[in-house]
Amino acid sequence: MELHKIGIAIAWIFLYGYLIVASIDFGAGFFSFYGKLTKRDHIINAIIDRYLSPVWEVTNVFLIFFVYAVIGFFPDVAYMYGVALLVPGSVALLLIAIRGSFYAFANYGARKNTVYLFVYGVTGLFIPASLATLLTISEGGFISVDGQRVELLLHQLVRSPYAWVVVLLAIVSVLFISASFLTYYADRANDTEAREVLRRFALYNSLPTIFVSFLAFFTIRTHNPEHFERMLSMSWMFMASLACFLLALALIIQRKWYGTAFLFVMLQFAFAFFGYGRSHLPYLLYPYLTVESGVTSDAMGVALIAAFVGGILLLIPSLFLLMRLFVFSATYVQGRK
Amino acid sequence: MFAFDQVIAARLLTSLTLGFHIIFATMGVGIPLCISLAEFVGLWKKDVHYLLLARRWARGYVITVAVGVVTGTCIALQLVFLWPGFMQLAGKVIGLPLFLETFAFFFEAIFLGMYLYTWDRFQNPWLHWVLSVPIIMGAVGSACFITSVNAFMNTPQGFRLENGVITAIDPWQAMFNPAAPSKVAHVLSSAFLTVSFVLAAIAAYHLYRKKQHEYYQKALGFTMLLALVFSVLNTVMGDWSGKFLAESQPEKLAAGEWHFHTGARAKLIVGGILHEDTLETEYALGIPLLLSILAKGTPDAKIIGLDQFPRELWPPLYVHYFFDLMVGLGAYLFVVSFLFVGLSFLQKRGKLTRFSRYNRPVLAAIMAGGPFAVLATECGWIFAEVGRQPWILRGVLRTGEAVTPAAYLPEMLVLFVLLYVFLAVLVTSVLVRLFRKTPPEVELEARKIIL
Ligand code: HDD
Ligand code: HEM
Ligand code: HEM
């Protein structure tokens, strides 16, 4: 495989990792708030806290990892996106910063405060929305490049239907992923009451997810027909995604095998996300920057891959241990330890 | 070159974020070691006090880590937004340690999660202690990697620049650049020193408030011993950093020491006021020969002065004050920790007993040492970073050439100032509330019943 393919695959895998773990976290924040509003917080919040407490910090690292992987493998991206994204990027940072620091606050009893839960829940939806907008921008048409002068065309962005569909898709996906995971987690904890509430959240968000996905599919056709063509040429991936979704939905409806159902949700997003990513190639920023033109030197590429292999060998056993201790440990999940 | 304001705004925002991050980063590097050592002593001596110490530090640590992660995410992305030209070039040459740093974070984050939530889960308590080792490795590792990036900015190597095109890239050579060893050593030793003193200051504060529980006395004795060890170590590492500068970055040392004329038997200048036009100093304490001795080891060594450099490449001369302050505070920290540890040593042998080592002036001096250590860290960084000016990459890229051309920079500066004010208030109030709500006396009561 060539360097640029390996590089983009590594970056994309970690963005997918972020998509899953961060969605669970963001959605959980929103459900806490929503639970409070609808006076069901006493049912679901214990489950949410038990899961989030030990793993929240890992979530953020996925994002940083993606950023550094892209800068390492495709340093030219740093320039164009860096200049274009000063304002929206800073706003996203601000949201991440507020949310992250509120977490520390929450550890010490602030969870019962409605204002706190509101900020925590709502930033959890704004962050994925703003990050998804990054992908929208990469489709081209929203950045003007003139030599060293790079500018984000904000007016075009807010008037684009495609951009809004992507924002909507990000939000419903977050809620769907999160609810289906938490349903599984509550089920493992033998907490039937919480499971039923969360299961309903999952069902409410299931059809909107798939509906908005279709919308995104059709709006990209007008926005970037070239990309749409490439998506059609690998349409099997999107079909597979739909199939996984239907399987997951069927299991959740039948109240069966929540773990398997969540696995299918993960597969649903894996197929869609990698299908989108593959069809996005060769462009990193349409039409200015491609993976081939932007890739780093061979020497750096080899060093990064060596670092990656070493790092992964270290991480996999550690992550496995973390899961063993918290997510898959029945005694922990059920709150006995 | 872009507008002057643009560079100023970008530099202000960078220094603000880094200055804020470094406080929490320093805590993040040092606290795991202290926690681990306390738990070790507690298990070894079967002493609940030390175990409780480890627990309470760990609880506070979670909060400083949260803010460290948040501000770290800010600085990582801000470097891309504010200095896109630098990150583009840096990504090509020094991307490796940045990438490695994320693995260190991962490693630390994973084991921190385990450590914090498994205090009573293992049959064998030593297993819990073992979990602290990877946390220290992650924290120290991330400090090594990021400091190597910073060292690269001072002594860039591992690439060639021909007509604006970078060739012959060697990421390993860039990572192991000449400034890295002394810088990493000094950053680590100063982080350990700072944390020991901050923790000691907290214990001293409680004793000062007339809480005479053994718990606080042990906490103070333990942290002051660490502080003494690290203060000696840190002075050695700082000396090494200075010797390195004399060798490889003489303009920074010369600016820090107000050493204008190249020559042997150089005088060390402490404090004073400089007349920038005549380059005369007033009210300064001048110690003959000392600069040559400190920088090169012998009084006859020749020390390069600023006269060897064109004036537009001189770093700002005010860095002198930051250097002196750092060294002065370092001396203070050494004296205080030496006094306290010496006094404890004598008293355990039955000498000088009419004079309590927990007397109020000593406690007050230790309490001041916490904030002073943090101040010394900040001064050190300002000296190191401002002393590199006008270069962002020494000899390769000037700061003014690397700044973003994007609009609305001043507005972003205001936005982040507000964020940091908010964060500072939040962290302080959370930490104070946390430790007020459950004083150690109460926790000890609760635990003694179990143990
Ligand atoms: C508790 C904090 C602290 C204390 C007491 C000291 N330092 Fe320091 N110093 C740092 C914290 C620090 C630092 C924050 O770690 C810096 C900033 C950048 C760096 O590499 O380390 C630093 C930088 C720094 C540099 C510049 C390195 C460079 O730019 O490459 C020199 C020459 C010294 N120090 C020397 C000393 C000496 C001789 C000290 C005598 C006591 C001393 N420092 C005390
Ligand atoms: C010598 C100076 C620095 C030291 C010692 C240091 C150390 C640390 C530490 C200990 C943390 C907490 C990480 C954790 O506990 O998981 C942290 C967070 C972070 N730092 Fe710094 N840092 C320094 C400077 C920088 C700089 C200049 C950058 C940007 C390039 C940076 C980027 C980050 C990032 C991205 C995080 C958040 C990581 C996460 O998401 O977990 N740091 N740093
Ligand atoms: C973590 C400890 C650090 C602190 C507290 C720190 C502090 C500062 C300060 C005060 C400035 C402003 C200098 C001026 O305005 O003259 C600055 C500039 C800068 N630093 Fe550092 N720095 C640290 C480490 C790093 C590292 C590890 C990197 C690189 C990854 C870095 C990259 C920069 C850049 C790009 C600038 C702006 C350009 C310049 O003024 O040179 N810094 N930093």
Side-chain angles (χ1 to χ4, degrees), chain A residues 111-122:
Chain A
R111 273 212 185 267
K112 291 169 195 80
N113 179 327
T114 316
V115 178
Y116 158 74
L117 276 177
F118 172 75
V119 174
Y120 194 63
V122 171

PDB file of all heavy atoms in Angstrom, chain A residues 111-122:
ATOM      1  N   ARG A 111     -24.264  17.577  39.412  1.00  0.00           N
ATOM      2  CA  ARG A 111     -25.155  16.954  38.439  1.00  0.00           C
ATOM      3  C   ARG A 111     -26.623  17.302  38.640  1.00  0.00           C
ATOM      4  O   ARG A 111     -27.422  17.164  37.735  1.00  0.00           O
ATOM      5  CB  ARG A 111     -25.012  15.437  38.482  1.00  0.00           C
ATOM      6  CG  ARG A 111     -23.927  14.969  37.608  1.00  0.00           C
ATOM      7  CD  ARG A 111     -24.229  13.611  37.047  1.00  0.00           C
ATOM      8  NE  ARG A 111     -23.065  13.160  36.292  1.00  0.00           N
ATOM      9  CZ  ARG A 111     -22.945  13.356  34.989  1.00  0.00           C
ATOM     10  NH1 ARG A 111     -23.894  13.940  34.310  1.00  0.00           N
ATOM     11  NH2 ARG A 111     -21.885  12.960  34.366  1.00  0.00           N
ATOM     12  N   LYS A 112     -26.978  17.681  39.846  1.00  0.00           N
ATOM     13  CA  LYS A 112     -28.385  17.934  40.087  1.00  0.00           C
ATOM     14  C   LYS A 112     -28.809  19.327  39.657  1.00  0.00           C
ATOM     15  O   LYS A 112     -29.984  19.659  39.663  1.00  0.00           O
ATOM     16  CB  LYS A 112     -28.674  17.717  41.572  1.00  0.00           C
ATOM     17  CG  LYS A 112     -28.544  16.243  41.898  1.00  0.00           C
ATOM     18  CD  LYS A 112     -28.549  15.958  43.373  1.00  0.00           C
ATOM     19  CE  LYS A 112     -28.053  14.550  43.607  1.00  0.00           C
ATOM     20  NZ  LYS A 112     -26.570  14.475  43.541  1.00  0.00           N
ATOM     21  N   ASN A 113     -27.839  20.127  39.271  1.00  0.00           N
ATOM     22  CA  ASN A 113     -28.120  21.506  38.913  1.00  0.00           C
ATOM     23  C   ASN A 113     -28.607  21.601  37.449  1.00  0.00           C
ATOM     24  O   ASN A 113     -27.939  21.147  36.534  1.00  0.00           O
ATOM     25  CB  ASN A 113     -26.824  22.281  39.117  1.00  0.00           C
ATOM     26  CG  ASN A 113     -26.950  23.728  38.764  1.00  0.00           C
ATOM     27  OD1 ASN A 113     -27.700  24.088  37.864  1.00  0.00           O
ATOM     28  ND2 ASN A 113     -26.224  24.552  39.477  1.00  0.00           N
ATOM     29  N   THR A 114     -29.785  22.219  37.240  1.00  0.00           N
ATOM     30  CA  THR A 114     -30.373  22.209  35.894  1.00  0.00           C
ATOM     31  C   THR A 114     -29.567  23.032  34.900  1.00  0.00           C
ATOM     32  O   THR A 114     -29.400  22.632  33.748  1.00  0.00           O
ATOM     33  CB  THR A 114     -31.804  22.743  35.939  1.00  0.00           C
ATOM     34  OG1 THR A 114     -32.456  22.173  37.048  1.00  0.00           O
ATOM     35  CG2 THR A 114     -32.559  22.383  34.680  1.00  0.00           C
ATOM     36  N   VAL A 115     -29.060  24.189  35.335  1.00  0.00           N
ATOM     37  CA  VAL A 115     -28.279  25.029  34.417  1.00  0.00           C
ATOM     38  C   VAL A 115     -27.064  24.251  33.942  1.00  0.00           C
ATOM     39  O   VAL A 115     -26.738  24.199  32.755  1.00  0.00           O
ATOM     40  CB  VAL A 115     -27.800  26.315  35.130  1.00  0.00           C
ATOM     41  CG1 VAL A 115     -26.951  27.139  34.172  1.00  0.00           C
ATOM     42  CG2 VAL A 115     -28.972  27.106  35.631  1.00  0.00           C
ATOM     43  N   TYR A 116     -26.402  23.594  34.900  1.00  0.00           N
ATOM     44  CA  TYR A 116     -25.241  22.802  34.561  1.00  0.00           C
ATOM     45  C   TYR A 116     -25.605  21.729  33.532  1.00  0.00           C
ATOM     46  O   TYR A 116     -24.947  21.565  32.504  1.00  0.00           O
ATOM     47  CB  TYR A 116     -24.654  22.164  35.822  1.00  0.00           C
ATOM     48  CG  TYR A 116     -23.824  20.980  35.495  1.00  0.00           C
ATOM     49  CD1 TYR A 116     -22.565  21.159  34.935  1.00  0.00           C
ATOM     50  CD2 TYR A 116     -24.320  19.696  35.651  1.00  0.00           C
ATOM     51  CE1 TYR A 116     -21.819  20.082  34.555  1.00  0.00           C
ATOM     52  CE2 TYR A 116     -23.573  18.622  35.275  1.00  0.00           C
ATOM     53  CZ  TYR A 116     -22.325  18.803  34.723  1.00  0.00           C
ATOM     54  OH  TYR A 116     -21.599  17.737  34.331  1.00  0.00           O
ATOM     55  N   LEU A 117     -26.691  21.007  33.812  1.00  0.00           N
ATOM     56  CA  LEU A 117     -27.074  19.918  32.903  1.00  0.00           C
ATOM     57  C   LEU A 117     -27.439  20.452  31.528  1.00  0.00           C
ATOM     58  O   LEU A 117     -27.165  19.832  30.509  1.00  0.00           O
ATOM     59  CB  LEU A 117     -28.257  19.148  33.482  1.00  0.00           C
ATOM     60  CG  LEU A 117     -27.885  18.072  34.485  1.00  0.00           C
ATOM     61  CD1 LEU A 117     -29.147  17.428  35.037  1.00  0.00           C
ATOM     62  CD2 LEU A 117     -27.002  17.021  33.841  1.00  0.00           C
ATOM     63  N   PHE A 118     -28.029  21.657  31.525  1.00  0.00           N
ATOM     64  CA  PHE A 118     -28.399  22.263  30.253  1.00  0.00           C
ATOM     65  C   PHE A 118     -27.138  22.517  29.424  1.00  0.00           C
ATOM     66  O   PHE A 118     -27.039  22.111  28.272  1.00  0.00           O
ATOM     67  CB  PHE A 118     -29.160  23.569  30.507  1.00  0.00           C
ATOM     68  CG  PHE A 118     -29.412  24.363  29.263  1.00  0.00           C
ATOM     69  CD1 PHE A 118     -30.386  23.970  28.370  1.00  0.00           C
ATOM     70  CD2 PHE A 118     -28.652  25.498  28.981  1.00  0.00           C
ATOM     71  CE1 PHE A 118     -30.607  24.689  27.207  1.00  0.00           C
ATOM     72  CE2 PHE A 118     -28.871  26.220  27.828  1.00  0.00           C
ATOM     73  CZ  PHE A 118     -29.851  25.818  26.937  1.00  0.00           C
ATOM     74  N   VAL A 119     -26.155  23.183  30.037  1.00  0.00           N
ATOM     75  CA  VAL A 119     -24.915  23.489  29.306  1.00  0.00           C
ATOM     76  C   VAL A 119     -24.251  22.196  28.851  1.00  0.00           C
ATOM     77  O   VAL A 119     -23.822  22.055  27.709  1.00  0.00           O
ATOM     78  CB  VAL A 119     -23.958  24.298  30.195  1.00  0.00           C
ATOM     79  CG1 VAL A 119     -22.623  24.499  29.500  1.00  0.00           C
ATOM     80  CG2 VAL A 119     -24.561  25.637  30.540  1.00  0.00           C
ATOM     81  N   TYR A 120     -24.201  21.227  29.775  1.00  0.00           N
ATOM     82  CA  TYR A 120     -23.547  19.968  29.473  1.00  0.00           C
ATOM     83  C   TYR A 120     -24.248  19.251  28.323  1.00  0.00           C
ATOM     84  O   TYR A 120     -23.598  18.742  27.397  1.00  0.00           O
ATOM     85  CB  TYR A 120     -23.564  19.105  30.731  1.00  0.00           C
ATOM     86  CG  TYR A 120     -22.649  17.931  30.665  1.00  0.00           C
ATOM     87  CD1 TYR A 120     -21.282  18.119  30.554  1.00  0.00           C
ATOM     88  CD2 TYR A 120     -23.142  16.641  30.720  1.00  0.00           C
ATOM     89  CE1 TYR A 120     -20.425  17.052  30.499  1.00  0.00           C
ATOM     90  CE2 TYR A 120     -22.284  15.566  30.666  1.00  0.00           C
ATOM     91  CZ  TYR A 120     -20.932  15.777  30.559  1.00  0.00           C
ATOM     92  OH  TYR A 120     -20.085  14.716  30.496  1.00  0.00           O
ATOM     93  N   GLY A 121     -25.570  19.222  28.367  1.00  0.00           N
ATOM     94  CA  GLY A 121     -26.328  18.510  27.342  1.00  0.00           C
ATOM     95  C   GLY A 121     -26.259  19.207  25.999  1.00  0.00           C
ATOM     96  O   GLY A 121     -26.073  18.578  24.962  1.00  0.00           O
ATOM     97  N   VAL A 122     -26.406  20.536  26.011  1.00  0.00           N
ATOM     98  CA  VAL A 122     -26.503  21.240  24.742  1.00  0.00           C
ATOM     99  C   VAL A 122     -25.148  21.358  24.051  1.00  0.00           C
ATOM    100  O   VAL A 122     -25.057  21.186  22.834  1.00  0.00           O
ATOM    101  CB  VAL A 122     -27.160  22.620  24.966  1.00  0.00           C
ATOM    102  CG1 VAL A 122     -27.078  23.446  23.715  1.00  0.00           C
ATOM    103  CG2 VAL A 122     -28.603  22.417  25.378  1.00  0.00           C
TER     104      VAL A 122
END
